[in-house]
Amino acid sequence: MKLHQLRYIWEVAKQGLNVSQAAAHLYSSQPGISKQIRLLEEELGLQIFTRRGKHLVEITPAGLEILETSGEILQQIEKIQSLAQEHSDAHRGSLSLATTHTQYRYVLPPIIRRFIDKYPDVALHMHQGTPTQISAAAVNAEADFAIATEALELYTDLHMLPCYRWNRSILVPKGHPLLEESNISLYKIASYPIITYTFGFTGRSKLDEAFDAQGLKPRVVLTAADADVIKTYVRLGLGIGIVASMAFDAEIDKDLVVLDASGLFEPSTTKIGFRRNSYFRGYMYDFIEMFAPHLNRDLVRRSLKAKSMAEVDELVGDIELPVL
């Protein structure tokens, strides 16, 4: 049994049993990977994958157990490599972040600036996507950290720490009738066409829950993953915008009027997620603390060793989160 064989079966499983995609990702050849998988199965005396002709169609029950253990072994190898790098050069390496447009555009820039100033020799890799894609990237070791508001809890392999709470604002063009209302209610908002986030993005679930609780069916005429796109269509007069309050820039958006909607919706919590038992370089701890100062190195270390999210929740249960 060889380490590269474990990498091959792990990558093939991750790529949905597509050997060609696995080969491309590993800079190898499809015949080479297929041959090594066959050799491993012959050595073990069992099938890891069932086949239909030349195609892999399913992971066998034994294969599922082997893949689980292989993942743990490969993670330990990564930890050894990171440990060696930490001792050879603590200020050089890479950090991969997976996050949404809202975090990338409105929250992270000053943190990234501080981080680069302190660690100029650490290469930063930013991956933008849906919350589900972001979470999957962290689970599959394509990203060190996933930062999002939605979907992280869908992945039991991730441990999540709360970073901050936030709420929403309503954006309208100047002169909009809603500005004449002395008391803005969900009922009033629902009477106008609404432009907001795509379902599954940036706390959209809290918005839907608020309307559902009042028995209201808002007319959402356009959705987008990008707050800047939402603002563009608000400017065109297609509807009122409901965005994360941090996405409003008083200078850039001075042609729009912002109305506080925090009293109408439950606040959302943005979290940072990572794989349990990961090995963090020193600069990784520093990044987390720059992003969320209450998440100090000791607390993060304890969360890495926690056996379940219930234990993680106990660690952070009494922390008062900042509000953006």
Side-chain angles (χ1 to χ4, degrees):
M1 184 187 308
K2 298 178 176 62
L3 184 60
H4 68 267
Q5 293 173 326
L6 301 184
R7 286 200 176 96
Y8 288 169
I9 62 171
W10 178 260
E11 189 63 31
V12 166
K14 190 171 79 172
Q15 298 298 335
L17 306 187
N18 188 315
V19 181
S20 296
Q21 285 183 205
H25 194 266
L26 294 170
Y27 303 101
S28 184
S29 68
Q30 179 179 347
I33 288 181
S34 296
K35 178 182 178 180
Q36 289 300 319
I37 292 175
R38 287 283 192 186
L39 289 174
L40 178 60
E41 289 178 324
E42 288 174 9
E43 180 181 348
L44 296 175
L46 53 80
Q47 279 194 317
I48 297 171
F49 304 103
T50 57
R51 293 165 174 81
R52 185 176 297 122
K54 294 182 179 180
H55 299 287
L56 306 183
V57 295
E58 194 175 14
I59 303 170
T60 66
L64 289 171
E65 294 187 36
I66 290 169
L67 282 165
E68 182 179 359
T69 303
S70 298
E72 293 170 358
I73 291 170
L74 293 173
Q75 187 176 11
Q76 293 302 315
I77 295 296
E78 285 181 15
K79 289 172 71 172
I80 291 171
Q81 292 170 336
S82 296
L83 183 62
Q85 288 179 320
E86 183 69 15
H87 283 277
S88 62
D89 191 343
H91 286 75
R92 189 181 298 273
S94 66
L95 177 62
S96 179
L97 309 174
T99 190
T100 61
H101 172 269
T102 299
Q103 305 296 327
Y104 189 52
R105 167 70 176 80
Y106 297 104
V107 182
L108 283 172
I111 287 88
I112 297 298
R113 177 74 270 170
R114 285 177 57 202
F115 183 83
I116 290 176
D117 287 344
K118 185 171 182 179
Y119 296 103
D121 293 324
V122 173
L124 270 173
H125 305 286
M126 305 288 286
H127 306 277
Q128 186 178 322
T130 69
T132 302
Q133 291 169 336
I134 290 163
S135 303
V139 169
N140 294 327
E142 295 165 3
D144 297 305
F145 301 138
I147 301 172
T149 301
E150 305 272 5
L152 291 181
E153 69 279 356
L154 300 178
Y155 290 81
T156 56
D157 293 333
L158 288 183
H159 279 189
M160 299 161 287
L161 296 176
C163 298
Y164 62 86
R165 301 172 75 203
W166 59 271
N167 216 308
R168 294 143 190 83
S169 291
I170 298 168
L171 301 180
V172 296
K174 292 179 180 179
H176 192 278
L178 195 58
L179 297 174
E180 300 176 6
E181 300 291 339
S182 58
N183 184 29
I184 299 175
S185 64
L186 287 176
Y187 177 79
K188 287 290 184 183
I189 293 172
S191 67
Y192 293 98
I194 292 172
I195 305 170
T196 191
Y197 297 107
T198 303
F199 187 80
F201 276 83
T202 317
R204 171 67 190 272
S205 58
K206 296 290 186 184
L207 185 147
D208 291 340
E209 288 168 7
F211 285 113
D212 287 343
Q214 297 294 321
L216 297 171
K217 300 294 182 184
R219 184 158 59 96
V220 178
V221 295
L222 191 149
T223 64
D226 184 331
D228 292 333
V229 173
I230 294 172
K231 295 178 202 176
T232 295
Y233 287 95
V234 170
R235 290 183 173 102
L236 290 175
L238 298 185
I240 64 173
I242 303 179
V243 299
S245 295
M246 56 201 161
F248 177 77
D249 186 309
E251 182 61 30
I252 297 174
D253 302 322
K254 56 188 175 184
D255 58 330
L256 298 175
V257 181
V258 60
L259 300 170
D260 180 21
S262 60
L264 302 176
F265 305 101
E266 286 293 320
S268 293
T269 300
T270 291
K271 298 177 181 179
I272 187 165
F274 43 79
R275 289 172 297 153
R276 181 170 65 89
N277 287 326
S278 297
Y279 178 83
F280 281 2
R281 305 278 305 274
Y283 58 76
M284 295 179 174
Y285 288 108
D286 279 356
F287 174 83
I288 293 176
E289 195 162 0
M290 288 179 189
F291 184 61
H294 56 282
L295 300 179
N296 58 56
R297 187 171 300 212
D298 177 64
L299 189 151
V300 175
R301 277 177 173 161
R302 284 187 287 153
S303 71
L304 283 166
K305 295 177 181 178
K307 296 179 180 178
S308 66
M309 263 310 298
E311 288 187 26
V312 175
D313 290 339
E314 284 185 20
L315 287 174
V316 297
D318 296 328
I319 292 177
E320 186 173 347
L321 298 180
V323 179
L324 294 192

